[in-house]
Amino acid sequence: MNDSLRFNRRQISRLFWETIESYHFHTLPPDDYFEGLRDQATYNTGSLHREDMADVMDIVAYFRPTLIAEVGTFIGRSTYSLAVGSGDKATVYTCDASNDIKLPPMPEGAARVVQFPNTTSTDMFKSLLADKNLGRKIDLFYIDGRVSEEDKALMLQLSNDRTIIVLDDFEGVEKGVANGMLLGTPNHLLIYPRTPDGKTALLVPIQLLQLA
């Protein structure tokens, strides 16, 4: 007799997205809300697709993190999704190593956004660690940018056993895959992006999983 019941990551990932889909209730602003900010960019690069903006919004609307740390502000697409989806009881700390782009005010009911312009992820994490009220209190990291071993060590100090890591650009040999390999542990379940076109993956602590 086979004594185990096995599920693979793709099966669990599909169930995950089906579960949080019901939390999608926000309307995304038009693209020109963000694209006009590119004029302020020192380093002009790609940005989050609308489908992934909706996925990020769904994730934080479901988990309701209170403290969020984002790497990669740029023109604020992911910042907007994190702030609006998590609600006004949350705070989003966000850094951009290459740019100092002033984001427009978030809509009423969104989280407070604290920007770290022209600041690396390492330096932002060190600043957050210096705030004694934030030690091991980050509920969710959103990573859009390559992180290092030093970042990993700092994130571990800022994390608790329920902290979720959301990864952008999780496809092929893009940075999201490398970040997932660096940051994932045996205590995380990797959730693949929503198919067919999503690029947002997650590292979810196994202890958050329950049979209902």
Side-chain angles (χ1 to χ4, degrees), residues 30-41 75 77 101:
D31 283 339
D32 57 11
Y33 181 90
F34 304 100
E35 290 302 311
L37 298 174
R38 287 183 182 273
D39 293 340
Q40 301 179 43
I75 57 175
R77 286 179 179 268
I101 297 176

Side-chain angles (χ1 to χ4, degrees), residues 165-179:
I165 302 172
V166 182
L167 306 165
D168 183 38
D169 282 333
F170 194 92
E171 63 171 353
V173 295
E174 296 292 335
K175 61 182 180 293
V177 177
N179 290 335

Side-chain angles (χ1 to χ4, degrees), residues 17-148:
W17 291 111
E18 289 174 358
T19 300
I20 71 164
E21 193 172 30
S22 61
Y23 284 77
H24 181 57
F25 58 92
H26 302 286
T27 300
L28 296 175
D31 283 339
D32 57 11
Y33 181 90
F34 304 100
E35 290 302 311
L37 298 174
R38 287 183 182 273
D39 293 340
Q40 301 179 43
T42 302
Y43 176 66
N44 200 346
T45 184
S47 189
L48 202 64
H49 293 166
R50 292 181 69 83
E51 292 83 359
D52 287 291
M53 286 182 67
D55 286 345
V56 171
M57 205 175 288
D58 290 353
I59 290 166
V60 292
Y62 181 85
F63 288 108
R64 285 293 174 181
T66 301
L67 293 178
I68 299 169
E70 176 190 27
V71 175
T73 314
F74 191 40
I75 57 175
R77 286 179 179 268
S78 50
T79 312
Y80 181 97
S81 296
L82 293 166
V84 172
S86 57
D88 58 7
K89 292 182 172 57
T91 301
V92 179
Y93 300 95
T94 181
C95 69
D96 191 308
S98 305
N99 292 297
D100 180 4
I101 297 176
K102 178 67 174 177
L103 298 183
M106 294 294 155
E108 184 178 355
R112 180 173 70 106
V113 174
V114 180
Q115 288 188 247
F116 288 77
N118 290 329
T119 302
T120 65
S121 51
T122 305
D123 287 340
M124 181 181 75
F125 293 152
K126 287 180 178 179
S127 293
L128 296 181
L129 273 173
D131 185 338
K132 300 304 182 183
N133 294 320
L134 295 181
R136 301 189 65 79
K137 294 292 181 63
I138 299 298
D139 300 307
L140 184 142
F141 290 94
Y142 180 85
I143 309 296
D144 180 10
R146 291 189 181 273
V147 291
S148 64

